[in-house]
Amino acid sequence: MEYVQMTLDDWVQMKQKLKQELLGVKQSFVRIGYALRQIDDQKLYEQDGYKSIAEFAQVEYGLWPSTTSRFMSINREYSIDGYSEQLRPEYAELGRSQLEEMLKLPDTDRQMIQPETSREDIRELKRFNKTEPAAGVADDISQLVEKFYQDNELILNAVYGEEFD
């Protein structure tokens, strides 16, 4: 491989270009979802003899129905006003796989996701959301606090500043 000398300015420009290209990829997912949603909403696929958007996208573009649905969901959830070609700014730093994984998260959980959050961490959060707490362990906040201090006596002692027997 040939050595190429690069100035600091060239390096900064290269990194900025790469960042813009990656943002463009995410924007493409939103734009593709928008186009599919328009075709679906207006039933334009019927003009070519298809029965559904899924059938249309699979035959015409090789997209599996789950992929078509995911594109449309990404547009619905992450585009400006929920129906546009533009990605909402708060999601610009997240990757496509993060956006896909976040689809089933409630808005409150989505706000916790940062660019450094891994796909596996998002999946773990989804699994956690599906679990049911054990009945009777902490049915209200006071029981939860009491249970916490029972399980963490050292913290309780630190709060009160003395040992209890």
Side-chain angles (χ1 to χ4, degrees), residues 107-141:
D107 285 337
T108 53
D109 286 350
R110 286 182 187 168
Q111 293 171 9
M112 294 188 304
I113 306 302
Q114 300 297 313
E116 60 275 4
T117 306
S118 72
R119 183 178 191 168
E120 185 54 38
D121 287 343
I122 298 170
R123 287 179 175 172
E124 181 62 32
L125 179 58
K126 290 191 310 190
R127 286 190 290 269
F128 175 79
N129 285 345
K130 288 180 182 178
T131 60
E132 294 288 328
V137 172
D139 292 333
D140 67 28
I141 192 69

Side-chain angles (χ1 to χ4, degrees), residues 82-94:
Y83 197 73
S84 74
E85 293 184 335
Q86 297 298 314
L87 181 66
R88 289 179 12 208
E90 61 264 33
Y91 297 115
E93 297 296 318
L94 300 177

Side-chain angles (χ1 to χ4, degrees), residues 72-103:
M72 294 169 66
S73 294
I74 285 173
N75 177 268
R76 186 176 299 108
E77 296 297 323
Y78 307 123
S79 68
I80 293 174
D81 297 327
Y83 197 73
S84 74
E85 293 184 335
Q86 297 298 314
L87 181 66
R88 289 179 12 208
E90 61 264 33
Y91 297 115
E93 297 296 318
L94 300 177
R96 177 195 55 82
S97 63
Q98 289 169 308
L99 295 175
E100 285 181 14
E101 288 299 330
M102 290 168 42
L103 284 171

Side-chain angles (χ1 to χ4, degrees), residues 23-41 53 56-57 61-64 66-76 79 83-87 96 100:
L23 178 59
V25 169
K26 289 179 270 190
Q27 291 282 9
S28 292
F29 276 82
V30 173
R31 285 192 300 272
I32 292 167
Y34 180 69
L36 289 169
R37 288 181 68 198
Q38 287 185 311
I39 292 167
D40 190 38
D41 290 346
I53 186 66
F56 165 80
Y61 304 105
L63 299 175
W64 290 102
S66 61
T67 304
T68 299
S69 174
R70 205 167 25 255
F71 275 128
M72 294 169 66
S73 294
I74 285 173
N75 177 268
R76 186 176 299 108
S79 68
Y83 197 73
S84 74
E85 293 184 335
Q86 297 298 314
L87 181 66
R96 177 195 55 82
E100 285 181 14

Side-chain angles (χ1 to χ4, degrees), residues 9-23:
D9 189 48
D10 291 340
W11 174 238
V12 170
Q13 286 179 2
M14 182 184 286
K15 289 186 349 182
Q16 184 60 31
K17 182 178 180 183
L18 181 58
K19 187 175 185 176
Q20 289 299 325
E21 291 296 326
L22 290 170
L23 178 59

